[in-house]
Amino acid sequence: MGGNRHSHDHDHDQHAEVGDPSPPQYYEIMEAAVRELLIEKKMIQPDEIRRQIEVLDSRTPALGAKIVARAWVDPAFRARLLANGRTACEEFGISFYDDTQLIVLENTDKVHNLIVCTLCSCYPRPVLGLPPDWYKLKPYRARAVIEPRSLLAEFGTIIPEDVEVRVSDSTAMVRYLVLPKRPAGSEKFSEEELAALVTRDAMIGVIPATIPAGSVEQ
Amino acid sequence: MTRDLGEHLSLSTGVVVARGETPIFGAGDRIRIRTRSPIGHYRVPIYLRGKRGVVERIIEPIAIDNEQEGYGRNAGGRLHYYRVAIPLNEIWLDYIGSPRDGLHIEVYETWLERM
């Protein structure tokens, strides 16, 4: 190996190049052109785009999990959340920068909710952040409304025949968040411990919230 | 929603509401999603055109017509969206699952017709 300035022993040649070396494609060129034009015409400031990315990056499923855990422990909050998802989330300081409304869908022993956007990738971004890739792809988007039960079964979620499956297709100005059932055995969990049980996929409705196997129970 | 006197005047308060402020459909109303094809991008999926369902709830507040707004043709017009429930076996004749399984979606007022 080289001199003592570079004594660690990994092979630099194995690092893939960061970024795509191929020439920019149609939509990348169009995005740059529109962005530069908007800035040149003073319709937006360059910092606004950077700031919006910061806003998006600050939203993660941990926010949604906090909302769900609070709803599980506080019946008055749960009632407000189901009456108006947006204003209840705003109590937590979660802003709806995209000016969407939020309907929270409660899973019960009789009803299982699933959310999808068949037209594109509408998603409760203010409370969950960016959607997973599969949520944006056509197989999920089509099958969620055509054969939700077989789709759910592939996620390991078997819905009994006597439970109603409600698929909410988000399309325009309303976003949906599933309020999963509180798992049996979590009665003595703190609000924080409950939030740790709530995953992104449970709030999309493809799986239930569960207590992971092997975790210590009361 | 008070819907006295042709939907424009509430008898209890005397308040006159603007055109379009009062929803023309209510929860429980039976509706059909219109079958039409305006030019451009709009937010009513094709698989639901012509399907019959029930209004589940009125979505507040009133909102702009995205179908018009996207093309700069909307002069500030606002109407209601409605959350509509449509049985999955109404959408797909060969649907496999419970007859109670349903599709729920928000649809703009201009896309609904009363049955």
Side-chain angles (χ1 to χ4, degrees):
Chain A
M1 304 299 284
N4 58 7
R5 286 197 302 123
H6 203 149
S7 58
H8 54 286
D9 60 0
H10 65 258
D11 183 351
H12 281 209
D13 291 338
Q14 286 178 2
H15 286 286
E17 185 167 353
V18 175
D20 182 359
S22 58
Q25 298 298 300
Y26 178 82
Y27 286 107
E28 292 170 78
I29 295 169
M30 185 159 77
E31 181 274 324
V34 171
R35 172 165 42 82
E36 286 171 10
L37 200 58
L38 288 170
I39 291 168
E40 206 174 296
K41 297 278 182 191
K42 299 199 187 322
M43 298 185 79
I44 59 171
Q45 301 290 318
D47 190 54
E48 283 180 65
I49 295 172
R50 185 205 57 76
R51 173 61 191 234
Q52 188 58 26
I53 292 170
E54 236 172 30
V55 170
L56 295 172
D57 284 351
S58 75
R59 312 306 174 95
T60 74
L63 290 174
K66 273 188 193 175
I67 299 286
V68 168
R70 175 66 56 85
W72 282 345
V73 300
D74 180 347
F77 177 76
R78 181 178 146 277
R80 292 200 297 281
L81 184 67
L82 294 175
N84 187 329
R86 176 170 168 167
T87 52
C89 288
E90 284 168 344
E91 292 178 30
F92 278 72
I94 298 171
S95 64
F96 284 69
Y97 55 83
D98 54 2
D99 204 24
T100 48
Q101 298 298 316
L102 183 72
I103 290 181
V104 176
L105 305 162
E106 185 181 34
N107 282 350
T108 66
D109 291 338
K110 296 274 173 249
V111 175
H112 182 89
N113 286 285
L114 177 68
I115 65 172
V116 64
C117 170
T118 57
L119 293 178
C120 51
S121 57
C122 296
Y123 188 72
R125 291 167 197 241
V127 275
L128 293 187
L130 298 176
D133 283 348
W134 53 259
Y135 183 89
K136 299 187 275 186
L137 296 176
K138 284 182 179 171
Y140 176 80
R141 287 157 49 193
R143 296 184 61 213
V145 299
I146 296 171
E147 45 175 17
R149 286 173 183 265
S150 2
L151 175 78
L152 287 165
E154 285 174 31
F155 281 94
T157 307
I158 310 293
I159 306 296
E161 186 69 19
D162 63 339
V163 172
E164 176 185 340
V165 172
R166 284 187 195 159
V167 183
S168 288
D169 187 353
S170 16
T171 58
M173 45 85 77
V174 179
R175 300 293 175 266
Y176 301 101
L177 181 77
V178 175
L179 173 58
K181 282 195 293 181
R182 181 173 174 166
S186 68
E187 291 74 16
K188 292 183 178 168
F189 282 41
S190 69
E191 189 175 334
E192 201 173 303
E193 288 167 333
L194 287 170
L197 306 179
V198 184
T199 64
R200 174 195 73 194
D201 291 358
M203 293 180 281
I204 296 174
V206 291
I207 57 164
T210 50
I211 300 174
S215 73
V216 181
E217 287 187 40
Q218 309 283 329
Chain B
M1 288 298 144
T2 313
R3 300 172 76 174
D4 315 322
L5 293 189
E7 302 179 354
H8 298 306
L9 176 66
S10 157
L11 281 178
S12 52
T13 62
V15 169
V16 177
V17 298
R19 278 183 92 102
E21 268 192 304
T22 309
I24 65 171
F25 299 102
D29 286 358
R30 299 189 55 77
I31 51 83
R32 190 202 315 264
I33 298 179
R34 287 179 186 271
T35 303
R36 56 187 178 90
S37 305
I39 292 168
H41 178 74
Y42 35 90
R43 306 300 291 175
V44 179
I46 288 171
Y47 76 96
L48 293 175
R49 309 274 170 86
K51 302 301 180 189
R52 294 162 300 171
V54 173
V55 172
E56 191 181 322
R57 66 158 107 164
I58 300 161
I59 293 168
E60 299 286 2
I62 52 174
I64 54 169
D65 181 350
N66 64 79
E67 183 182 315
Q68 297 286 314
E69 192 74 10
Y71 292 86
R73 293 194 299 259
N74 195 11
R78 285 170 181 263
L79 292 171
H80 281 89
Y81 279 91
Y82 300 84
R83 181 166 159 89
V84 168
I86 305 160
L88 278 167
N89 63 10
E90 153 79 10
I91 303 169
W92 319 112
L93 295 178
D94 55 353
Y95 177 72
I96 297 167
S98 163
R100 293 185 299 122
D101 291 354
L103 190 285
H104 300 247
I105 189 166
E106 86 263 26
V107 181
Y108 202 60
E109 195 165 284
T110 52
W111 276 91
L112 297 178
E113 60 189 349
R114 199 178 297 278
M115 290 190 61

